[in-house]
Amino acid sequence: MKYRVIYSRRKTIAISVDKGIVTVKAPLGTDKKTIESVIVKHSAWIEKHLAIQKRKDEMMSSLTDDDIKELKKRAKVYFKEKTDYYANIMGLKYG
């Protein structure tokens, strides 16, 4: 499995998956063997999140321009309703 390592002044090792890239953030001086053991230990989590991102990417690439326009229209309605609702609760006026 390919991954990139970012060393910094931190106390723990963190793994993240973003846009199909596995990133390991590790404390300065952490040896490669330790990093690889953490990756092996968490390989199921990494594979799960890589698969989730792959499905999201496939879903997004199948959207047409008309689909995107419709989703934007629905989002505007949804967020206006939510904004009106919470502004009323908080006694605010906006716009």
Side-chain angles (χ1 to χ4, degrees):
M1 172 183 315
K2 288 186 177 182
Y3 60 90
R4 68 179 182 162
V5 179
I6 299 173
Y7 293 98
S8 63
R9 291 182 175 187
R10 56 181 300 126
K11 294 184 180 186
T12 60
I13 295 176
I15 302 172
S16 63
V17 178
D18 187 39
K19 298 176 185 166
I21 299 169
V22 178
T23 302
V24 178
K25 295 179 181 176
L28 294 169
T30 305
D31 60 55
K32 190 171 183 172
K33 187 176 179 179
T34 302
I35 292 170
E36 288 177 355
S37 70
V38 170
I39 288 173
V40 168
K41 181 179 176 184
H42 293 89
S43 61
W45 182 90
I46 294 168
E47 293 298 332
K48 174 185 168 185
H49 284 81
L50 285 169
I52 289 169
Q53 285 191 357
K54 184 177 181 184
R55 283 194 303 272
K56 284 181 182 178
D57 291 345
E58 289 169 353
M59 187 172 37
M60 292 300 290
S61 66
S62 67
L63 291 175
T64 65
D65 288 342
D66 289 338
D67 292 335
I68 293 170
K69 285 178 186 175
E70 177 61 26
L71 289 170
K72 285 181 179 180
K73 192 186 319 179
R74 289 161 82 187
K76 279 186 177 181
V77 170
Y78 175 81
F79 286 115
K80 176 160 183 6
E81 289 172 357
K82 289 294 182 184
T83 305
D84 290 345
Y85 174 78
Y86 286 107
N88 185 42
I89 288 174
M90 297 171 69
L92 301 173
K93 293 183 181 179
Y94 68 96

